[in-house]
Amino acid sequence: MKFLRYGPTGAEKPGMLDANGTLRDLSAYMTDLSGDSLNPQNLASLAELEVANLPEVTGTPRIGPCVGGVGKFLAIGLNYADHAAESGMDLPQEPIVFSKATSCIIGPNDDVEIPRGSKSTDWEVELGFVIGKTAKYVTEAEALEYVAGYCVINDISERDFQIRRSGQWIKGKSADTFGPIGPWLVTPDEVGDPQDLALYLDVNGQRRQDGTTRTMHFTVAQIIAHLSQFMSLHPGDVIATGTPPGVGMGMKPPVYLKPGDVMELGVAGLGVQRQQVRAAG
């Protein structure tokens, strides 16, 4: 199943796509795609609905982030061998974990702002997943049972803030609009093996990233098991799993985003994002 949220910023409604790709309203069955409503059993029960009888959403509403009320927005760094190589860094022995401020989350097609003082705003297509039930001290074997669904994430990054402005990576990862999520939250039964998904990113129609989750250093299951040893993961927490090669920082010479640029990115089966870049006000 493909779930999504639609409507104005801060007033999104829950919806799902039917077999023909028509957007259907789920407001009669849940207030939002957030918190305990994301329990995999709850989402599975919606499969029993007569989807064709749900109200059809007409027009072209804005698509919001595919999950609301995010408590934690975590990400894994240097998780693709070829991306680590282009960054000139060794693969880590354990997952590199950092946070993105939840205030950076936007819809998949909302504009992206280059923050004031930015020298090097970069792109990163990533497979994301959303936690559906509380995970604490879980094993790798059971880890995927805690996933509500998968989604596309653009882990936009300001490299100067991230690398040269001291402290943790969060400085370069958390500017407003640096976390487009969606368009869809796709349930695990429809995704299949999360370690066999193609992903790509174009800038102004030119292919920059072209990879596959088969080359992830740490799998989704390993990431969940690892994180759950250090903190409880709660329903609605979002985790980005790293990016393949082709980021602007890795080009020679480096190439970064500028106002007017357009990014298009996607992960197989999870939909496509499209963002126009503008300068922060």
Side-chain angles (χ1 to χ4, degrees):
M1 294 175 289
K2 295 182 175 73
F3 297 97
L4 68 158
R5 300 167 70 247
Y6 68 95
T9 301
E12 292 93 346
K13 295 181 179 180
M16 66 184 300
L17 296 183
D18 66 17
N20 297 316
T22 300
L23 176 55
R24 302 283 179 172
D25 180 56
L26 280 174
S27 298
Y29 296 92
M30 58 172 60
T31 57
D32 200 0
L33 281 162
S34 61
D36 290 337
S37 70
L38 295 165
N39 185 290
Q41 291 183 332
N42 293 342
L43 295 183
S45 69
L46 296 174
E48 300 175 6
L49 296 174
E50 290 291 340
V51 178
N53 294 332
L54 294 173
E56 179 180 344
V57 179
T58 59
T60 54
R62 168 186 173 270
I63 304 301
C66 61
V67 59
V70 176
K72 293 191 286 294
F73 191 180
L74 304 174
I76 307 300
L78 296 177
N79 199 29
Y80 284 71
D82 32 14
H83 174 54
E86 75 172 349
S87 302
M89 301 179 184
D90 295 330
L91 283 169
Q93 294 186 2
E94 292 192 4
I96 295 173
V97 182
F98 61 91
S99 293
K100 291 173 72 78
T102 56
S103 55
C104 80
I105 294 173
I106 58 172
N109 304 315
D110 293 341
D111 288 351
V112 165
E113 294 182 352
I114 296 178
R116 294 181 183 180
S118 170
K119 299 178 181 178
S120 48
T121 297
D122 206 348
W123 56 82
E124 291 191 14
V125 61
E126 307 204 4
L127 169 67
F129 63 89
V130 178
I131 296 296
K133 57 183 181 179
T134 300
K136 182 176 182 179
Y137 299 128
V138 304
T139 66
E140 183 180 336
E142 64 185 342
L144 295 184
E145 299 173 11
Y146 293 82
V147 176
Y150 298 90
C151 59
V152 183
I153 294 177
N154 193 351
D155 176 22
I156 300 168
S157 310
E158 213 297 333
R159 303 302 187 185
D160 186 64
F161 296 177
Q162 175 187 355
I163 297 170
R164 289 178 284 275
R165 296 295 297 272
S166 299
Q168 302 296 316
W169 287 6
I170 190 171
K171 285 184 180 180
K173 299 284 190 171
S174 297
D176 291 351
T177 76
F178 270 26
I181 299 177
W184 309 325
L185 179 68
V186 185
T187 51
D189 61 298
E190 188 165 328
V191 172
D193 183 1
Q195 304 311 142
D196 191 21
L197 301 174
L199 59 170
Y200 78 94
L201 184 144
D202 296 342
V203 179
N204 301 327
Q206 293 186 323
R207 184 61 43 95
R208 296 302 188 192
Q209 293 185 272
D210 191 0
T212 170
T213 59
R214 290 194 299 270
T215 63
M216 282 171 56
H217 184 45
F218 299 106
T219 67
V220 170
Q222 289 171 329
I223 290 167
I224 294 170
H226 181 78
L227 291 174
S228 75
Q229 308 307 306
F230 301 96
M231 68 191 82
S232 292
L233 301 175
H234 295 118
D237 287 349
V238 176
I239 294 96
T241 61
T243 197
V247 299
M249 180 176 64
M251 299 178 69
K252 301 187 186 313
V255 175
Y256 295 115
L257 294 168
K258 61 185 184 303
D261 284 347
V262 174
M263 292 177 283
E264 181 180 297
L265 57 146
V267 179
L270 305 184
V272 173
Q273 299 186 356
R274 186 181 186 277
Q275 298 114 22
Q276 183 156 342
V277 180
R278 57 181 171 84

